[in-house]
Amino acid sequence: MGDTGRAGPHAVPGQEPTPMPRLALYALAVCALAVVAAVVSFVSGSWLGVIWVLLAGLSSNMAWYYIRRAKLTAES
């Protein structure tokens, strides 16, 4: 398939790394959109951007959780 970088300590030769979980990708997309919405909201002078910042923080934590959970299940 091609070179995917350095092999980890438990890597099997010829095995591709596991892709990022779908829920983590969705959470990252929500985080990016919430950051954009917060910037637009603050630029327009609305304090509603605070809610968007909170949503961005929540979704980024969700993304890290799903990425970490996928890595732990792949190792065991």
Side-chain angles (χ1 to χ4, degrees), residues 1-74:
M1 281 262 151
D3 188 20
T4 57
R6 297 186 322 170
H10 303 291
V12 177
Q15 181 182 6
E16 294 291 323
T18 57
M20 187 180 299
R22 186 173 295 162
L23 287 174
L25 289 175
Y26 290 154
L28 284 174
V30 169
C31 181
L33 290 173
V35 167
V36 170
V39 168
V40 169
S41 183
F42 283 132
V43 166
S44 67
S46 173
W47 284 95
L48 191 63
V50 172
I51 302 299
W52 291 114
V53 169
L54 293 173
L55 182 65
L58 175 69
S59 60
S60 71
N61 285 342
M62 289 174 59
W64 281 115
Y65 169 78
Y66 287 123
I67 292 169
R68 183 171 179 251
R69 188 176 79 172
K71 284 182 183 179
L72 290 176
T73 56

